[in-house]
Amino acid sequence: MRLSRYFMPVLKETPSEAQIASHRLMLRAGLIRQASAGIYSWLPMGYKVLRRLEQIVHEEQQKANHHPMLMPTIQSADLWRESGRYDDYGQEMLRITDRHDRDMLYGPTNEELITDIFRREVGSYKQLPLTLYHIQWKFRDEIRPRFGVMRGREFLMKDGYNFDLTKEDALHAYNRHMVTYLKTYERMGLQAIPMRADGGPIGGDYTHEFLVLADTGESEVFYDSAVTDLTLGDRVVDYDSVAECQAIMEEFTTPYARTDETHDEAIFAEVPEERRRSARGIEVGQIFYFGTKYSDALNATVQTPDGTNVPVHMGSHGIGVSRLVGALIEANHDENGIIWPEGVAPFPVAIVNLKQGGADTDRVCDELYGALTAAGLDPLYDDREERAGAKFATMDLIGCPWRITVGPRGLKEGKVELTSRRTGESEEMSPEAAIARLKELLANR
RNA sequence: CGGGCUAUAGCGCAGCCUGGUAGCGCGUUCGUCUGGGGGACGAAAGGUCGUAGGUUCGAAUCCUGCUAGCCCGACCA
């Protein structure tokens, strides 16, 4: 993308409403603009990050044979009355009346709707196991929205629902989801620690929250530092293997890791003192097994081999996709701006032309732009008529992981400069070498 | 919802107390110079002062209602 033709309204000053780093930087870098309290428009570069996160979520879910679909944002109140949650949910649910005076609502979640689809269409154990998910906008009418997309009222969420014949099968689904989530966060360049959590309004006996450590997190967390050494890396997981998913779940949940709601000082004290940590965390996902709570309420049953009808065992699982953009920035920024992990950067590499209109610099930039585009590396070319300082400051703010600087000084030696946004380290090399290096560095993207 | 605060140009703010021509910085446009970390000079565009009403010869300024937004708390992914 040529910056001169893009829409990226950056701000030199911080709008007064932004308190925390991610909110400030999302506004300054031109990712979002507020539409009303807790509701945001996603500008092109913010939308690009959001789509990138969605894509990663989709890929990891589908590897586990979970099926994407799309349910509506507006739901009828009837189903919620049937489950009993129309009254339970309280003021957080945005209630709407249509022209025929029917009670509608903007969905805060989709257990009722998905269970209704299931009970209409599935009647036999032979159709199980089944996991369906979607990525859709939700609305929760927070009393006080704040921190930008971290705690908005409208938010994009991946929510999935598993349907299984037995509790054992449903617990495998639980473990399977834990693995897909760990994979998903790792690909985004985030460490999200699964922590034993509280069921909350959705309910459930088995539940883990995934937390990203960050000073501005809303939750206080306690953990054994051993848990932060764990990674899945390149492990290829067989999601049909009950034993393998179980083993990974145990590996990641054996070290002590809990939010303050479930924290137990006595058990925590058994962790060696030098490994005990308390910190703050941002919740970016949660998984639940809740048994037959909704299938009982909504009469979602399947026929077993012996001819009886039994309610299905269910679980639900969520990833806060829009919130993740904020969490990523909280975990990856410095005083100059965002530092995107390579897996999620809106543009993985930026080309900075220090002398716009110079014959040599223009030519080399065009060549780099063409070659990187052809290689699928989606470069952002800063071809504006700006001075070097302004270009560097803008590039630091928007946080592309790699920057190629093309200036007359370096070109005298036939060199351009490749700089890491994260470390600030630079290396001079020929344009051809820079292209080759970037292909290598970004091979996994 | 309780407590506190704010609303003046795209962004950050002053002006209000003590009523009388609507300002500053950044950004934007044009020109000249400049050219490796938000450069300099010159010119210009851009504002129903949140909104409705009241007081007054006259209201951004004083008074009242309303709306929106922000902060703290409770709540929450």
Side-chain angles (χ1 to χ4, degrees):
Chain A
M1 180 62 61
R2 286 173 187 272
L3 189 45
S4 63
R5 306 186 62 175
Y6 199 42
F7 181 65
M8 191 185 86
V10 299
L11 303 172
K12 205 162 167 179
E13 290 171 282
T14 302
S16 57
E17 74 264 23
Q19 305 298 313
I20 61 169
S22 61
H23 191 193
R24 211 161 56 224
L25 292 171
M26 287 182 77
L27 289 168
R28 285 197 53 209
L31 269 50
I32 55 168
R33 287 293 182 263
Q34 180 167 307
S36 65
I39 302 178
Y40 294 85
S41 294
W42 292 76
L43 306 186
M45 200 162 63
Y47 183 48
K48 209 157 186 275
V49 176
L50 203 56
R51 281 186 305 174
R52 179 94 199 148
L53 299 185
E54 281 189 81
Q55 184 192 338
I56 292 172
V57 170
H58 274 302
E59 286 173 7
E60 294 305 322
Q61 287 307 302
Q62 289 171 49
K63 281 180 192 168
N65 213 21
H66 302 160
H67 309 299
M69 60 181 295
L70 189 59
M71 288 179 271
T73 54
I74 306 285
Q75 305 179 27
S76 161
D78 294 348
L79 279 173
W80 286 72
R81 291 205 176 93
E82 201 176 333
S83 72
R85 285 209 296 181
Y86 192 65
D87 296 323
D88 292 351
Y89 228 94
Q91 293 282 293
E92 273 208 352
M93 186 151 73
L94 180 64
R95 293 147 206 266
I96 305 167
T97 307
D98 73 8
R99 69 196 297 165
H100 301 295
D101 220 30
R102 283 186 288 243
D103 292 326
M104 312 293 285
L105 56 97
Y106 197 117
T109 176
N110 287 71
E111 278 84 2
E112 282 79 0
L113 207 46
I114 193 74
T115 308
D116 184 53
I117 290 167
F118 181 89
R119 71 179 172 182
R120 288 166 186 271
E121 311 301 335
V122 178
S124 164
Y125 76 96
K126 291 179 184 172
Q127 290 163 279
L128 304 183
L130 178 65
T131 296
L132 300 168
Y133 77 94
H134 71 161
I135 299 178
Q136 178 61 293
W137 291 93
K138 309 285 192 293
F139 195 93
R140 290 183 197 169
D141 198 0
E142 295 287 336
I143 298 168
R144 183 152 92 86
R146 62 185 121 175
F147 305 147
V149 300
M150 297 271 287
R151 178 129 177 241
R153 292 194 293 172
E154 188 181 50
F155 55 98
L156 186 64
M157 182 172 165
K158 172 267 173 183
D159 50 320
Y161 307 89
N162 67 283
F163 302 91
D164 290 279
L165 184 60
T166 64
K167 179 173 179 178
E168 289 66 38
D169 290 349
L171 290 178
H172 172 235
Y174 185 87
N175 296 337
R176 194 175 67 228
H177 278 88
M178 179 170 291
V179 179
T180 63
Y181 278 28
L182 290 168
K183 276 265 187 198
T184 300
Y185 297 123
E186 267 190 42
R187 274 189 65 188
M188 293 175 181
L190 273 181
Q191 177 159 53
I193 305 167
M195 300 200 181
R196 181 182 294 210
D198 195 44
I202 295 173
D205 306 326
Y206 294 80
T207 178
H208 281 87
E209 289 181 348
F210 292 79
L211 286 110
V212 173
L213 299 177
D215 294 340
T216 46
E218 75 276 45
S219 311
E220 191 174 13
V221 300
F222 303 86
Y223 63 97
D224 177 342
S225 66
V227 80
T228 55
D229 296 334
L230 300 170
T231 56
L232 280 173
D234 294 332
R235 267 186 265 181
V236 177
V237 180
D238 174 4
Y239 286 109
D240 289 332
S241 167
V242 171
E244 191 175 356
C245 292
Q246 167 95 18
I248 294 173
M249 182 277 286
E250 284 172 2
E251 178 185 348
F252 279 79
T253 59
T254 298
Y256 189 93
R258 297 191 183 191
T259 63
D260 54 355
E261 297 154 330
T262 54
H263 179 55
D264 186 323
E265 273 297 337
I267 304 174
F268 193 44
E270 291 167 17
V271 177
E273 194 179 350
E274 69 278 8
R275 299 212 316 248
R276 264 179 251 157
R277 301 279 189 281
S278 74
R280 300 202 69 82
I282 301 167
E283 195 196 321
V284 293
Q286 188 162 10
I287 56 176
F288 299 90
Y289 160 72
F290 44 64
T292 58
K293 174 173 175 172
Y294 296 96
S295 47
D296 280 334
L298 297 170
N299 200 30
T301 60
V302 292
Q303 199 164 29
T304 63
D306 63 18
T308 57
N309 288 301
V310 298
V312 288
H313 286 258
M314 293 175 58
S316 73
H317 335 87
I319 294 178
V321 180
S322 51
R323 157 177 273 219
L324 265 170
V325 180
L328 275 159
I329 295 171
E330 287 298 328
N332 297 284
H333 71 274
D334 63 16
E335 65 279 6
N336 296 320
I338 303 168
I339 306 172
W340 291 113
E342 284 168 2
V344 301
F347 298 97
V349 53
I351 303 165
V352 173
N353 187 344
L354 291 184
K355 189 174 180 184
Q356 205 64 48
D360 289 342
T361 48
D362 283 7
R363 178 179 47 77
V364 171
C365 285
D366 283 341
E367 285 166 9
L368 282 165
Y369 183 67
L372 292 170
T373 302
L377 296 184
D378 197 15
L380 179 68
Y381 172 20
D382 189 347
D383 59 345
R384 297 171 304 164
E385 284 289 347
E386 290 286 348
R387 297 171 62 87
K391 290 193 176 191
F392 288 143
T394 301
M395 291 302 120
D396 285 350
L397 174 61
I398 68 172
C400 304
W402 297 99
R403 186 184 82 204
I404 304 182
T405 310
V406 180
R409 202 174 73 192
L411 282 189
K412 272 186 211 157
E413 318 291 326
K415 300 278 178 68
V416 298
E417 197 174 86
L418 183 64
T419 307
S420 158
R421 173 67 180 86
R422 192 170 291 277
T423 66
E425 286 166 14
S426 289
E427 202 181 330
E428 296 206 332
M429 59 186 79
S430 69
E432 295 70 30
I435 293 164
R437 174 72 66 82
L438 283 165
K439 282 182 184 170
E440 222 174 275
L441 288 166
L442 298 170
N444 290 328
R445 185 175 148 92

